[in-house]
Amino acid sequence: MPVMKQKSIKPATDIPYSEGILVHNNTGSAILADRLVTFYRGGSTAKQGALMTIELAPAGTATTKKYPILVTKHIIPNGKSGVVLPWKTVSGVNTSALSVGAPVYLSNTTPGVFKITSGAPTHERVVGVVLSVGAAGEVFCAPGMLLPLSSVN
């Protein structure tokens, strides 16, 4: 077995490769990259063989506070397996209306997407923060690490 030196281990900068979770999609359609997902909440099982099944995180209601939310690393076709992550840096997001450090929310109208919004939030769950501002800005999406708004208000 090869020995890995400590100096060879580098911290993750945009994707935590070692923290990926292999999951299964049986929702009936593909789940796109950078979508917020939760473990399957319907039916009688949350497993497909040895893998847990996922679905898009429900639109931000009070019930979303109960579920762990992760972010997809890549497109996961229906009936196939893929990787979800506890956090990910998402590029190419229009963050022009915000400032660095502004919160990003789970959408309260569309399942599985985060909402970039300014002003008083009507959303239930914070899922990330703005890293850079611009038409092609960056968002640090960490839905499982951040608290629901009701926890901090």
Side-chain angles (χ1 to χ4, degrees), residues 29-119:
S29 60
I31 297 176
L32 300 176
D34 304 330
R35 292 295 190 251
L36 301 171
V37 295
T38 189
F39 298 109
Y40 188 68
R41 298 174 291 120
S44 59
T45 181
K47 290 183 77 173
Q48 176 73 27
L51 304 177
M52 293 184 285
T53 57
I54 56 163
E55 66 181 32
L56 290 173
T61 64
T63 60
T64 61
K65 296 174 190 174
K66 299 177 186 177
Y67 302 110
I69 297 179
L70 301 162
V71 61
T72 55
K73 179 181 175 193
H74 51 80
I75 295 173
I76 305 174
N78 183 50
K80 302 290 182 181
S81 300
V83 176
V84 295
L85 304 165
W87 63 266
K88 182 179 180 185
T89 301
V90 181
S91 302
V93 180
N94 186 354
T95 57
S96 300
L98 301 175
S99 59
V100 172
V104 175
Y105 306 94
L106 173 63
S107 173
N108 66 352
T109 56
T110 309
V113 299
F114 54 84
K115 179 72 174 164
I116 307 283
T117 185
S118 58

Side-chain angles (χ1 to χ4, degrees), residues 16-36:
Y17 289 104
S18 63
E19 297 177 22
I21 302 169
L22 188 61
V23 295
H24 186 76
N25 174 13
N26 66 357
T27 61
S29 60
I31 297 176
L32 300 176
D34 304 330
R35 292 295 190 251
L36 301 171

Side-chain angles (χ1 to χ4, degrees), residues 117-129:
T117 185
S118 58
T122 58
H123 308 284
E124 297 286 333
R125 187 161 176 173
V126 176
V127 295
V129 293

